[in-house]
Amino acid sequence: MTKAIKVKNTEDIQTINSIVTEFPFDIWIHGKSGMVDAKSLLGMFLLSLNEPLELVIEDDEDPHDVKKLFKALGDYLDIED
């Protein structure tokens, strides 16, 4: 599953990283320059913020947990209900 994610600056990186580390499943951020583990702060700082980014998680994760993640990241995601 992928969702567009808005990351504008280093504060966004730190906040997003803080949120995703609370979840037990793998969460990735994918851009044209590559894919990084969203739970790795160092990896997150390697992102190019001038390109479209997507949040990537496995399709088979618990829907309840995914919904909680999307709610926690609500300020950064474009979610259509």
Side-chain angles (χ1 to χ4, degrees), residues 3 8 10-11 23 35 38 60 63 69 77-78:
K3 294 282 183 191
K8 297 179 218 127
T10 57
E11 290 176 18
F23 292 85
M35 184 179 277
D60 61 350
L69 172 66
L77 299 177
D78 292 324

Side-chain angles (χ1 to χ4, degrees), residues 8-67:
K8 297 179 218 127
N9 53 45
T10 57
E11 290 176 18
D12 288 354
I13 288 173
Q14 292 172 329
T15 302
I16 292 167
N17 176 263
S18 173
I19 291 168
V20 300
T21 57
E22 300 296 319
F23 292 85
F25 47 88
D26 291 336
I27 303 168
W28 301 88
I29 305 274
H30 183 264
K32 291 180 182 178
S33 58
M35 184 179 277
V36 299
D37 181 351
K39 293 181 182 183
S40 166
L41 189 56
L42 181 59
M44 293 278 289
F45 278 111
L46 296 175
L47 291 171
S48 174
L49 304 182
N50 298 326
E51 64 185 51
L53 299 172
E54 291 188 326
L55 182 82
V56 180
I57 58 174
E58 294 292 326
D59 288 334
D60 61 350
E61 297 300 340
D62 182 332
H64 178 69
D65 287 342
V66 172
K67 187 174 181 178

